[in-house]
Amino acid sequence: MKVFFKVCFFVSLLSSSAITYAQQLNWTLVEPGIWKAVAGKPDAFDLLKTAGAVPYHAGLLEMGDVVFPVAKADISAAIVDGKTYLRFPLEKNEQLYGFGLNFQTVHQRGKILTLHVDNYAGKDDGHTHCPTPFYVSSKGYGVFINSARYIKVYAGTSVRVDSKAAPLIQDRNLDKNWTSHPYSDAVDMLIPADGAEIYIFGGPTTMDAVRRYNLLNGGGCLPPRWGLGFTQRMQRLTDANGVAEEAKAFEDKGYPLDFIGLEPGWQSKSYPCTFEWDKTRFPDPKGLVQNMLHKGIRINLWTNPYVSPQAPVYPLIKSYTSSHTVWNGAVVDLSLPAARKIFFGELEKNKVDIGISGYKMDEVDGGDTYLWPDVAIFPSGHSAEQLRQTYGLMMQRYITELYHNRNQRTYGLVRASNGGGSALPYVIYNDYYNHQDFITALINSGFSGVLWTPEVRASKTAEEWVRRFQSNIFSPMAMINAWSSGTKPWTFPEVADQVKQLANLRMQMMPYWYSEFAKYHYQGIPPFRAMNLEPGFQGVEVAKEPGKKKVDLEENPYEDITAKEVKDQYMAGENILVAPMFTGQTTRTVILPKGKWYDFYTGKLAGDGQVITVTPGLDKIPVYVKDGGIIPMMPAMLHAPKAGDKVAIEVRYYGEKSGTYRLYDDDGETFNYEKGQYSFRDIKVQRLNGSIKGSISDAVAGKPNTIGKVTFKMMTE
Ligand code: GAL
């Protein structure tokens, strides 16, 4: 085995007999609270560059400096056999979160994962739509590997002979403390490249480390206001008349609708794709798109990137495609600027330039049986692996650029992303459709710098329909994806009213959602996230479940501690806790962190640092608001307010404590906020002898002002 010592390392021989490849790294402060080190010779093609990530320096500056969060001596790197070995410390009572968009587990300690962009296949093994090589620790720091490779992770499973905290040798037969998983003091990673860039994020809290990661990526995305309304994706063979009828039905029935998604049938052929309108179904695309825009409804287009030999763009792009096809379509090497010019030019022409609001970029994730194999050759010389890890990122980045050039925001869907992508305005989805696991993915999205929608497609029963709808409206994209089923919000007449009320609630909460996304952008705070990031959660969590499984020598002889997981409730924005109900459930427990929590609908005290049991009925998804929590609401409009509209705000206030809230405002549609055209208005509410006194700071002169009359509502009597 060859061992390469790199000049930039301190070579530290651990002991004369020990393995000699562990080397300490040189850390450079790159932003406040963020350090970088280089191991070996990293690939020039990495995640941050591919995503086009530019740190949001002002946000990081505001967070301030902190000390390096772990012992530097405990982080080491080695290059062995052309691969990079990394090792990070892990204390006994430390928990790990992240490693991408996992669907079944929040805690990652004890996992062995291969971080690989893929279609999620039912197992949290690292193969997922967004396998971000980023993790945070309950000790308040984070680690990111800026590599577009399939990274192998041993998250606290490996025990070294020279461990400083070597586990005790115990006799399995007689010692009841014997464990099949002795304490591992490290997170080990293997990167199949002869170098990597490593980032460490300081805290002091776990949330701070998450925020610093998002801010390094440029801050979270800020969708247009309309992106936070309601979207309906239509049955795949819908035509222009069908679109017009759908929009009319929504309006006649009084259901909100901000954008309609067209699925594969808008193209003349798909799988592989032609990227041209089907002339029979859509004889006048521009007329349709403009007509819809006039009504306040936008159109989003599905596509996958695989180019049909019958596509008009094919002869131009052919020489920039890979050795292997996907569904008989050519795979464009998006890492080549010349290829991008042609390909994204095609997505712009007669689409973006006639008023299409965005794309849903499908099938850029996997699985292996249909995507290009790892032996595919790309003309740039980048490997199939590197393209696989970054294809979704590049699709998002360059489509967003088309819109940025027009000073127009977009918000769309994508099936793959990766590290570096927090600022890209896309929401991940898939075909997996397990409601419970969809919620766990929503929780994990907050650790991965991405957004996830638990989309609603079809349901077997009215109950399932409502339950799915309820959690969907408390997510980054409220949508029905009827590409196959043709479902509508009113598909189950017996619950059509409940569904309408939920869709209206989504619209009413738009000022809250928009402000929370602004905090994602300017402060890096994920709008949807795990309870584990919530102060006052630790400790109460323990009360819910015991942590040990019983070992049976026949059934599970090496079973060990199972982590306590809370994967069925989450935080939505600053003040709201959401506890979804699943089909068949009439009752559930909810963990309320320490501090008083109030029922969202009634304002009544629900509990304080305890596990409560609730029986909400089919109409309600359990939602709780923090003490002093403020939720700014607007009237239930059918479409999001347009730039320049003035909207009345009802400030709902919960609990006893005085409350403050930063209400974000800008034009909601352009990138002028990047040039300072935005404001945060301070809302304050306090109780005074049985009534409340509320105020909002004045509009800032010279900035967009969409806020009309402001009223205050005391929710807690
Ligand atoms: C799937 C996608 C669906 C739908 C369909 C169209 O891959 O997940 O949402 O778009 O393709 O063929």
Side-chain angles (χ1 to χ4, degrees):
M1 196 187 293
K2 246 191 193 170
V3 179
F4 296 105
F5 292 107
K6 300 292 166 182
V7 273
C8 56
F9 294 156
F10 288 86
V11 178
S12 75
L13 301 182
L14 293 171
S15 78
S16 54
S17 62
I19 302 154
T20 54
Y21 55 72
Q23 304 152 31
Q24 231 175 291
L25 295 156
N26 268 329
W27 293 98
T28 316
L29 186 72
V30 288
E31 289 286 346
I34 306 179
W35 293 262
K36 175 172 127 177
V38 175
K41 250 211 314 212
D43 297 327
F45 187 82
D46 62 32
L47 295 175
L48 292 176
K49 276 197 229 93
T50 312
V54 179
Y56 182 55
H57 182 65
L60 287 160
L61 212 58
E62 208 177 282
M63 287 192 76
D65 290 311
V66 280
V67 293
F68 197 86
V70 290
K72 286 184 184 160
D74 291 343
I75 307 178
S76 65
I79 316 297
V80 181
D81 193 23
K83 297 189 180 74
T84 304
Y85 293 40
L86 299 177
R87 161 165 265 255
F88 302 90
L90 184 62
E91 288 181 24
K92 280 208 166 112
N93 55 350
E94 189 169 356
Q95 191 47 264
L96 306 173
Y97 310 99
F99 297 117
L101 196 64
N102 287 296
F103 284 72
Q104 292 180 342
T105 48
V106 177
H107 290 178
Q108 301 305 322
R109 187 175 183 143
K111 292 282 189 59
I112 298 176
L113 307 160
T114 302
L115 305 180
H116 187 309
V117 168
D118 213 330
N119 178 44
Y120 180 68
K123 219 170 147 204
D124 281 1
D125 57 4
H127 286 245
T128 176
H129 306 271
C130 181
T132 315
F134 171 65
Y135 71 92
V136 283
S137 151
S138 55
K139 299 277 174 197
Y141 67 90
V143 176
F144 173 59
I145 313 301
N146 182 23
S147 165
R149 298 279 180 179
Y150 303 147
I151 299 174
K152 184 129 195 206
V153 177
Y154 300 84
T157 60
S158 58
V159 182
R160 282 172 60 103
V161 287
D162 60 355
S163 168
K164 275 190 279 180
L168 291 176
I169 310 292
Q170 285 158 323
D171 172 27
R172 184 180 188 183
N173 292 326
L174 298 175
D175 194 335
K176 64 179 181 345
N177 292 322
W178 183 90
T179 161
S180 56
H181 294 102
Y183 167 49
S184 155
D185 63 358
V187 175
D188 283 301
M189 293 197 217
L190 179 67
I191 296 134
D194 56 8
E197 262 183 21
I198 307 149
Y199 287 81
I200 296 280
F201 305 85
T205 66
T206 309
M207 171 70 109
D208 291 331
V210 170
R211 289 180 57 193
R212 288 181 207 274
Y213 167 76
N214 286 328
L215 292 169
L216 180 79
N217 283 212
C221 70
L222 181 62
R225 273 200 179 87
W226 57 260
L228 300 177
F230 190 80
T231 178
Q232 173 81 13
R233 300 203 70 85
M234 298 199 59
Q235 206 274 344
R236 70 201 158 96
L237 286 172
T238 304
D239 60 12
N241 288 336
V243 174
E245 279 162 22
E246 188 92 331
K248 186 163 182 319
F250 268 76
E251 198 180 322
D252 290 350
K253 292 176 190 286
Y255 286 79
L257 180 62
D258 269 295
F259 59 114
I260 283 181
L262 301 184
E263 288 288 321
W266 71 269
Q267 299 193 27
S268 56
K269 287 182 182 144
S270 59
Y271 296 87
C273 292
T274 57
F275 311 102
E276 62 172 6
W277 290 90
D278 182 85
K279 293 196 179 61
T280 356
R281 288 187 286 273
F282 295 92
D284 174 20
K286 186 172 179 188
L288 174 74
V289 171
Q290 290 298 322
N291 225 336
M292 285 293 133
L293 274 177
H294 198 68
K295 294 186 196 301
I297 298 166
R298 289 166 170 79
I299 306 281
N300 171 290
L301 296 181
W302 171 97
T303 198
N304 71 35
Y306 309 115
V307 187
S308 166
Q310 294 163 348
V313 75
Y314 186 78
L316 299 171
I317 201 111
K318 193 171 173 296
S319 57
Y320 301 108
T321 59
S322 111
S323 59
H324 287 66
T325 57
V326 177
W327 293 309
N328 303 320
V331 185
V332 181
D333 188 338
L334 294 182
S335 68
L336 290 171
R340 290 200 296 265
K341 198 157 178 266
I342 300 167
F343 185 70
F344 291 100
E346 184 65 21
L347 295 186
E348 182 168 34
K349 196 179 67 198
N350 220 5
K351 272 84 73 185
V352 177
D353 61 11
I354 61 166
I356 288 299
S357 70
Y359 277 98
K360 162 176 168 177
M361 289 161 300
D362 208 14
E363 287 128 356
V364 285
D365 47 344
D368 280 338
T369 52
Y370 62 78
L371 231 69
W372 64 86
D374 284 351
V375 296
I377 306 279
F378 285 82
S380 62
H382 293 128
S383 65
E385 170 187 13
Q386 290 172 311
L387 269 291
R388 178 77 171 260
Q389 294 294 73
T390 56
Y391 217 83
L393 274 181
M394 289 193 283
M395 289 292 288
Q396 295 174 71
R397 174 184 175 182
Y398 295 109
I399 292 186
T400 307
E401 279 184 9
L402 294 180
Y403 286 96
H404 203 272
N405 293 341
R406 297 169 175 266
N407 194 23
Q408 188 188 329
R409 274 183 249 172
T410 181
Y411 196 44
L413 290 148
V414 71
R415 250 183 49 183
S417 193
N418 209 329
S422 310
L424 299 167
Y426 290 89
V427 182
I428 307 178
Y429 64 97
N430 69 4
D431 292 336
Y432 175 68
Y433 213 51
N434 177 305
H435 190 188
Q436 275 92 337
D437 291 355
F438 271 17
I439 300 308
T440 307
L442 185 57
I443 291 168
N444 282 321
S445 66
F447 292 121
S448 322
V450 289
L451 302 170
W452 161 263
T453 176
E455 67 173 29
V456 184
R457 294 185 166 195
S459 292
K460 291 197 180 67
T461 60
E463 179 199 1
E464 183 192 344
W465 187 247
V466 177
R467 290 309 189 197
R468 284 185 180 272
F469 210 91
Q470 285 170 342
S471 46
N472 185 246
I473 65 147
F474 286 91
S475 85
M477 193 178 278
M479 67 184 282
I480 292 177
N481 178 8
W483 78 277
S484 149
S485 60
T487 47
K488 322 271 179 218
W490 50 89
T491 283
F492 290 90
E494 60 273 47
V495 291
D497 279 345
Q498 280 100 323
V499 168
K500 190 197 274 187
Q501 272 176 32
L502 289 162
N504 283 339
L505 179 60
R506 171 74 180 194
M507 297 306 279
Q508 286 175 283
M509 290 177 74
M510 193 173 278
Y512 179 72
W513 298 131
Y514 198 53
S515 297
E516 294 308 318
F517 270 92
K519 289 169 199 169
Y520 187 32
H521 177 66
Y522 296 100
Q523 298 178 290
I525 302 170
F528 299 92
R529 56 186 189 273
M531 296 308 305
N532 309 72
L533 293 174
E534 188 59 22
F537 179 66
Q538 308 303 332
V540 187
E541 175 192 16
V542 178
K544 195 176 173 187
E545 282 172 47
K548 245 184 165 26
K549 262 196 193 168
K550 206 168 171 290
V551 173
D552 177 317
L553 289 181
E554 300 299 336
E555 298 282 329
N556 59 344
Y558 299 106
E559 197 65 68
D560 216 331
I561 305 273
T562 48
K564 297 169 292 295
E565 291 271 42
V566 178
K567 50 182 190 172
D568 59 355
Q569 63 177 75
Y570 57 96
M571 291 301 298
E574 188 177 329
N575 292 326
I576 288 181
L577 186 165
V578 183
M581 301 288 295
F582 305 106
T583 311
Q585 265 185 343
T586 48
T587 178
R588 65 160 288 167
T589 56
V590 182
I591 302 171
L592 298 174
K594 290 181 199 112
K596 290 186 171 138
W597 290 83
Y598 296 84
D599 184 281
F600 173 75
Y601 310 95
T602 63
K604 289 209 177 84
L605 180 66
D608 175 348
Q610 68 195 88
V611 181
I612 58 167
T613 302
V614 290
T615 310
L618 189 57
D619 290 0
K620 297 264 178 327
I621 170 171
V623 177
Y624 303 93
V625 184
K626 273 181 196 169
D627 193 5
I630 284 171
I631 315 290
M633 312 264 280
M634 69 173 203
M637 298 160 69
L638 290 186
H639 316 290
K642 295 188 292 296
D645 284 358
K646 281 253 188 299
V647 177
I649 299 285
E650 180 184 86
V651 175
R652 294 198 182 170
Y653 158 78
Y654 292 80
E656 297 166 359
K657 275 193 196 162
S658 297
T660 57
Y661 189 81
R662 301 186 77 209
L663 180 67
Y664 180 69
D665 199 10
D666 66 11
D667 66 26
E669 290 176 16
T670 74
F671 286 97
N672 292 353
Y673 68 86
E674 292 179 345
K675 298 180 206 105
Q677 282 300 306
Y678 70 89
S679 63
F680 279 100
R681 308 246 322 248
D682 290 315
I683 298 177
K684 291 193 178 131
V685 184
Q686 66 186 110
R687 275 183 181 272
L688 283 175
N689 323 316
S691 65
I692 55 166
K693 185 168 166 285
S695 64
I696 178 163
S697 61
D698 290 341
V700 185
K703 310 277 170 164
N705 176 11
T706 71
I707 297 164
K709 187 166 186 264
V710 181
T711 52
F712 293 83
K713 184 168 179 181
M714 180 160 71
M715 294 298 293
T716 308
E717 291 304 327

